[in-house]
Amino acid sequence: MEATLVLIKPDGLKRSLTGNILTRLSETKLEIAGARVVRVGRELAEKHYGHLREKPFFEELIRYIMGEFHDRLKVLALVYYGEDAIPKVRELAGGTNPEEADSVSIRGAYGRVLTSGLFENVIHCSANGEEAEREIKLWFKPEDIIFDVYETETVTRESVKEVVWKEKKE
Ligand code: IDP
Ligand code: MG
């Protein structure tokens, strides 16, 4: 059993593909173990795609995942959990380049290549176990995932500021 990170990227959200993509992912019989709508700041974006920092398309990729090109400053982040979750989701997602991806895969069906060369490929999914762990820990807190996917520890922090719901005065 393993967990994998899926992001529905801003192009997927803008084009109302969420329902469709979730339906396709449900074919895997994997379980959704966590879900968040996330406003992606530059720091998170650059950490997520840190391994691509040297690529010529890096800056455009960062702006893409932050939602700057799609008027949607958010992504939908999901953790899928189950047997062989990583390869199952990768297979369904299809190849990185949507023009070369299997035409029945999610990226093959809905992705496109911009004239700049950037691949707008609708979803992200972790490529291997090491990447899944790094990415899930980047996007989720332990308490936001319903299974114990990775080892946790309890720490006590003094004077940590936290935003909470304001109590209503009667
Ligand atoms: P993956 O998303 O299939 O794991 P990565 O190599 O991790 O592929 O690249 C992350 C994202 O960067 C891709 O999903 C795609 O949006 C973009 N990308 C990757 N390689 C290229 C490229 O050669 N040209 C343009 N965009 C690319
Ligand atoms: Mg990748």
Side-chain angles (χ1 to χ4, degrees):
M1 299 291 262
E2 60 187 14
T4 188
L5 180 81
V6 171
L7 302 177
I8 302 189
K9 296 181 176 183
D11 51 328
L13 295 177
K14 168 126 188 178
R15 290 157 65 201
S16 300
L17 294 171
T18 307
N20 209 308
I21 292 168
L22 295 185
T23 302
R24 293 294 310 276
L25 287 168
S26 69
E27 288 168 21
T28 60
K29 304 262 200 310
L30 297 168
E31 192 168 340
I32 295 177
R36 291 179 66 210
V37 180
V38 186
R39 193 170 283 267
V40 184
R42 179 165 283 270
E43 194 184 333
L44 175 58
E46 290 190 353
K47 275 190 187 156
H48 178 75
Y49 282 131
H51 61 296
L52 299 171
R53 193 171 287 279
E54 305 305 322
K55 301 282 184 192
F57 55 83
F58 182 70
E59 177 58 24
E60 203 184 357
L61 177 62
I62 295 306
R63 296 182 61 199
Y64 163 40
I65 199 70
M66 288 171 71
E68 287 191 15
F69 303 141
H70 296 94
D71 193 25
R72 290 286 185 286
L73 297 179
K74 60 187 176 187
V75 305
L76 178 59
L78 301 147
V79 174
Y80 277 84
Y81 183 75
E83 208 171 307
D84 298 323
I86 296 165
K88 277 181 186 159
V89 175
R90 281 298 282 195
E91 160 117 43
L92 205 61
T96 305
N97 180 341
E99 275 175 13
E100 287 168 11
D102 191 327
S103 60
V104 300
S105 69
I106 294 168
R107 287 167 163 184
Y110 304 118
R112 59 180 189 165
V113 179
L114 302 192
T115 46
S116 69
L118 185 75
F119 303 160
E120 274 191 9
N121 51 14
V122 182
I123 73 166
H124 163 84
C125 46
S126 310
N128 54 55
E130 204 180 312
E131 197 176 285
E133 179 169 352
R134 187 185 74 79
E135 293 175 349
I136 288 169
K137 289 178 174 177
L138 182 63
W139 289 82
F140 286 84
K141 291 184 187 158
E143 68 203 36
D144 293 332
I145 301 177
I146 60 164
F147 301 112
D148 295 331
V149 289
Y150 308 115
E151 233 184 309
T152 57
E153 59 183 347
T154 304
V155 296
T156 308
R157 287 208 186 92
E158 303 268 322
S159 58
V160 173
K161 275 194 194 165
E162 187 183 4
V163 177
V164 297
W165 298 117
K166 191 167 179 174
E167 230 176 280
K168 273 199 180 155
K169 304 240 162 40
E170 297 302 318

